[in-house]
Amino acid sequence: MTPVTPPVSSHTSRTRQPSLSQLRAFAAVAEHLHFREAAGSIGMSQPALSGAVSALEDTLGVQLLERTTRKVLLSPAGERVAARARRVLDTVSDLMEEAEAARAPFTGVVRLGVIPTVAPYLLPTVLRLVRKEYPQLDLQVHEEQTASLMDGLLRGRLDLLLLAVPLGATGVTELPLFDEDFVLVAPSEHEYAGREGLPKSALRDLDLLLLDEGHCLRDQALDICREAGRAEAARAGSSGTGAGAGAPVTTSAAGLSTLVQLVAGGMGVTLLPRTALRVETARNEELGTGYFADPAPSRRVALAMRTGTARESEFRTFANSLREELRSLPVTITE
């Protein structure tokens, strides 16, 4: 005769409720599907994490995980509970953020995410502003690519982003800071070095060096190439090249500094945002610059926050202050 598992009593379900620690532990396991990685992500020991998940299963009266010697899987009930647990934790995080913001503006921690093609050029201005105007603010900086930053913002790992827009993401509010032109960087003896009023069509037949995939600056440069009539730019993929009219688009570097050194070595030309120009080309006599005719190809840089964040007023004030600090740069401030 098959044994029957007794149902969980309604009295138990009413009097016992999961703790935040149990929900946090289970949410980490649901995300990583690995106990050691999950424990490390929330700073909990593996035995303590395993115990918290087991206690949650006991409290809820359902099996949340399917454990084997090789992997961890979510049960059907676990899939549903994981989504609910994340919402509960997000709500609690919003509550704590609300309370912190209510105590005093521009205090506590702000986790700022910045893309690599902005960080080296704008962070000095950002940090100088924070030291001068908001000395009680604990600014923590995280440099990541756009996709990772967006994930971090929407999951609550980050509070504010500094990156190129538009993002086109639901639940995110953009606070535009400035527009900046792209500049052609070429070897000093190149025919376009030192030129002004270049048409975009000048890009059609150049050996163009770009950043690796995943950088938004690569995507922006490819968009400019498509506008210039480079047919292969529409098909440039992970191989870094494409067939078609014009010289091939070549992916060559993970960072702008390396990209510029490749240009100085005569391997091709590249596009730099105007704010990067001084840092990346200063004191290098082997490099020349060319400027495009109006309207020049450009990008917009902005702060981005979660829509409805408790610190919205602070972040808007911060954006206004940052715009003022950026007026000395060769950019067009967006009001």
Side-chain angles (χ1 to χ4, degrees):
M1 183 175 180
T2 303
V4 177
T5 302
V8 179
S9 71
S10 60
H11 175 74
T12 299
S13 64
R14 286 197 304 269
T15 57
R16 298 180 60 191
Q17 296 190 8
S19 67
L20 289 176
S21 178
Q22 292 169 358
L23 293 176
R24 192 172 292 111
F26 173 61
V29 174
E31 179 178 352
H32 294 277
L33 295 178
H34 192 287
F35 274 87
R36 185 174 66 251
E37 293 177 5
S41 71
I42 60 174
M44 180 182 285
S45 71
Q46 193 170 332
L49 179 122
S50 180
V53 173
S54 295
L56 179 62
E57 290 180 313
D58 183 56
T59 297
L60 298 179
V62 293
Q63 181 180 344
L64 302 174
L65 302 175
E66 297 177 7
R67 304 167 177 83
T68 71
T69 57
R70 302 185 63 181
K71 59 184 176 181
V72 177
L73 298 174
L74 291 176
S75 69
E79 295 274 3
R80 298 171 61 183
V81 172
R84 293 274 187 174
R86 175 49 58 195
R87 287 200 289 271
V88 169
L89 293 172
D90 287 344
T91 300
V92 172
S93 177
D94 288 344
L95 183 151
M96 298 302 294
E97 186 178 307
E98 183 91 39
E100 184 175 357
R103 284 196 299 272
F106 299 107
T107 61
V109 174
V110 170
R111 297 158 296 181
L112 175 68
V114 192
I115 56 174
T117 58
V118 163
Y121 321 114
L122 296 188
L123 276 181
T125 302
V126 172
L127 297 176
R128 184 169 59 249
L129 172 65
V130 170
R131 286 194 302 268
K132 180 177 68 173
E133 299 291 341
Y134 314 113
Q136 301 303 312
L137 192 65
D138 181 7
L139 186 69
Q140 300 178 359
V141 178
H142 302 261
E143 185 185 55
E144 302 168 22
Q145 293 184 9
T146 300
S148 178
L149 291 180
M150 288 295 293
D151 180 73
L153 182 70
L154 294 174
R155 288 178 176 269
R157 177 173 60 84
L158 299 172
D159 304 306
L160 191 64
L161 306 183
L162 178 58
L163 73 179
V165 297
L167 300 169
T170 302
V172 176
T173 297
E174 299 171 7
L175 305 174
L177 297 174
F178 63 85
D179 296 328
E180 63 175 332
D181 293 346
F182 283 102
V183 178
L184 183 72
V185 178
S188 56
E189 69 278 6
H190 194 278
E191 61 176 311
Y192 292 146
R195 291 271 301 275
E196 295 188 8
L198 293 174
K200 290 181 185 178
S201 59
L203 292 169
R204 288 178 184 170
D205 300 312
L206 299 178
D207 294 321
L208 190 63
L209 305 174
L210 299 180
L211 292 174
D212 290 336
E213 290 191 24
H215 289 274
C216 63
L217 186 58
R218 171 190 171 87
D219 297 331
Q220 292 157 358
L222 286 173
D223 286 341
I224 295 169
C225 290
R226 280 188 283 271
E227 292 175 10
R230 291 181 72 124
E232 93 291 350
R235 297 189 292 274
S238 59
S239 63
T241 61
V249 171
T250 305
T251 299
S252 300
L256 289 183
S257 295
T258 302
L259 204 60
V260 169
Q261 292 307 311
L262 293 173
V263 173
M267 293 186 65
V269 302
T270 195
L271 294 170
L272 284 188
R274 193 73 178 267
T275 51
L277 200 59
R278 181 181 61 83
V279 172
E280 298 299 348
T281 64
R283 298 184 299 278
N284 193 329
E285 296 179 354
E286 297 176 334
L287 293 171
T289 53
Y291 297 87
F292 292 95
D294 290 333
S298 65
R299 72 172 179 176
R300 173 163 290 186
V301 173
L303 292 172
M305 61 184 177
R306 287 186 299 279
T307 301
T309 177
R311 306 187 77 166
E312 179 175 349
S313 177
E314 286 179 71
F315 292 160
R316 289 188 180 277
T317 299
F318 182 75
N320 289 334
S321 299
L322 186 54
R323 289 188 194 100
E324 292 304 312
E325 293 292 318
L326 294 169
R327 289 188 184 278
S328 61
L329 298 180
V331 299
T332 302
I333 300 299
T334 55
E335 302 295 346

